[in-house]
Amino acid sequence: MATTAQDVRLIALSLPDSTEKLAWGMPTFRVGGKIFVSLADDDTTIGVKCPKEDRAELIAAEPEKFFLRAGHDDNYAWIRVRLAALQHADELRAILIDSWLQAAPKRLIAAHPELTDGAGRGGG
């Protein structure tokens, strides 16, 4: 069963100190004032933090799942994810945790070691 915008909202807001704020007409989810996920206005895709050097490999491995929005994502450490391509909420949770770890303040990450124990890729 495909994941939904509501799954994104529930998981994102379950992460420590996460908040939701409307920006550019779309829901965004933030930690420490930094956006770690944005929900597209059609509720079918999300944007998440992703190191630029990792994007090409992810897209090549799973092009049905990951993509860049041409002309918009080129200069930013972000990648887009098609929600319909995710197999289950656990996969979405891992992606959101990974993005959260890249945006969260180090003190907050240190206070939540359960989020770095294999749930996400890590980052800083």
Side-chain angles (χ1 to χ4, degrees):
M1 185 167 169
T3 57
T4 67
Q6 186 60 21
D7 295 325
V8 173
R9 180 170 279 108
L10 290 172
I11 294 169
L13 292 174
S14 76
L15 297 173
D17 290 358
S18 296
T19 59
E20 181 176 350
K21 182 177 180 182
L22 201 62
W24 311 287
M26 300 177 294
T28 64
F29 301 87
R30 301 164 186 248
V31 61
K34 295 181 181 176
I35 297 172
F36 70 96
V37 62
S38 64
L39 186 60
D41 55 4
D42 65 1
D43 288 350
T44 64
T45 63
I46 57 173
V48 293
K49 293 188 73 60
C50 180
K52 286 182 184 180
E53 59 272 13
D54 294 349
R55 298 184 311 184
E57 184 179 336
L58 287 169
I59 293 167
E62 297 182 273
E64 72 289 348
K65 188 178 297 179
F66 299 107
F67 69 103
L68 296 179
R69 201 167 80 193
H72 186 271
D73 297 327
D74 301 338
N75 298 317
Y76 301 99
W78 283 84
I79 196 166
R80 306 290 162 157
V81 183
R82 292 178 184 91
L83 294 177
L86 299 176
Q87 297 301 313
H88 45 72
D90 289 343
E91 185 177 16
L92 174 62
R93 180 173 172 75
I95 289 168
L96 295 182
I97 288 172
D98 188 55
S99 188
W100 183 93
L101 288 168
Q102 293 175 67
K106 290 183 179 170
R107 63 161 176 77
L108 189 57
I109 294 170
H112 294 279
E114 73 280 4
L115 296 178
T116 60
D117 294 338
R121 185 178 67 224

